[in-house]
Amino acid sequence: MFKTAPALTGRYEVFCALPGVTTGISAQGIHMIGLPVFRKLAARILFSYPVVIWKCLKIRPSLLHIFVPELIPLAFVFKWMGAAVIFEVQENLYQKFTHKQYNNGYLFRKLYGVFERLARRHFHYVFTEHAYRDVFTGLKYRPEVVHNYVSLPLIDGVMNSPGPEPCSGGRMFFYSGVISMERSVDVMIRAIAGYSRRYPDCRVKFFGRSNLTPAQLEALPGFGEAGRHVSFYGYTDQRIVLAEGRGAVAGLALLKPVGDYPVSYPTKLFEYMAMGLPVITSDFPLYREIVG
C-alpha cells in the first residue's frame, strides 16, 4: 500500500484486493477492494476466492500481480482470460515448510509444488532476493529482482513530522513483523526477561500478526518476567508503526537459521536503519556486510 501500489499509479489504473481494507478509492487514487479476513486457508478458499473472482471478472485486469502462493490457482483463471500474471516471490516455501506453523499440511505442500511448477511455464516472476534465482529455475520469462527495501519518502515523512516522542522515558525496544518461533519470539522473550532484571523500566513494542495464540505466548520460557514489559499491538498501519518506533533504543530483527533466512535480508533491517535506529539482528555472514 505504501510502496508497490503508489509506484504503479503513474502508468496504470491500480486495484488492490486486500483483507480487512475499506472498499473505495484511496488518497493515492488506488481502487481498494476489501476482502473478508480468515485465518485458515480453507475458509479463505471458500469465502475470499469467490469475492476475488467476482470483482476481477468485473474489472477484467490486463495485469494481475500476486504475492501470496495460495493465489496461484486463482491466477490461472485470469491467465486463461487473457491477463498477464506476475508472481512476486517473497519467500522460499520449499525450504520453510518444515518450520511453518500454518499452511504446511501435506496436501497444501503437494498442491503448491504442482501449481508453482505450472506457474514457471506461464507466469512472469519477480524475486525479492537474488538467492531465489537458484531455486526457481526453468522459467519461461526472464525474472526480475526487485528488493523489498524501504520507502524513504514514507519513512522520512513520518520521522520528520511534528509531535511528541511517543517513547520518551524508559528504555524501549521496537519490533515490526510477523511474530513467530522462526523469527525468534522465544529468544526475544528470554532476553527481555533477563534485561528487565537490570533495567526494570524497559519496554518492548511488538507490531505484527502473531502466529502464536495468547496462551502459547504466555507459555514461552521467561514470559512470566517479561510479560509486564512487552506490548503486542497486532497488525498495524505502517505509518503508526513508524511513529511508535521513534526514539527507540534499537530495532529487533532476529531470525533463526532456518529456511532461506540466512541468505536473504529481512526488510525490517533496512527500515530500522532508515529510521535512524541501531539494529539487533542475527549473526549471519550475509548480514555482516550490512551490520557492523
Side-chain angles (χ1 to χ4, degrees), residues 74-134:
L74 191 64
F76 272 107
V77 175
F78 299 98
K79 175 68 177 177
W80 295 328
M81 292 170 55
V85 178
I86 301 169
F87 177 30
E88 179 179 326
V89 179
Q90 297 184 347
E91 61 179 342
N92 181 357
L93 279 183
Y94 292 109
Q95 288 185 328
K96 287 186 177 178
F97 273 131
T98 56
H99 306 285
K100 289 179 70 69
Q101 296 171 292
Y102 63 100
N103 288 0
N104 63 347
Y106 175 81
L107 181 59
F108 179 83
R109 282 184 279 178
K110 287 296 183 182
L111 289 176
Y112 169 72
V114 171
F115 280 104
E116 195 281 314
R117 285 190 289 272
L118 284 172
R120 299 185 195 198
R121 302 202 298 265
H122 297 279
F123 294 175
H124 298 266
Y125 273 66
V126 170
F127 300 137
T128 57
E129 293 288 345
H130 279 88
Y132 298 156
R133 288 180 178 270
D134 299 328

Side-chain angles (χ1 to χ4, degrees), residues 250-271:
L252 305 175
L254 295 175
L255 301 168
K256 293 182 179 179
V258 299
D260 58 350
Y261 288 154
V263 295
S264 59
Y265 293 115
T267 304
K268 302 306 173 185
L269 182 70
F270 300 99
E271 288 188 359

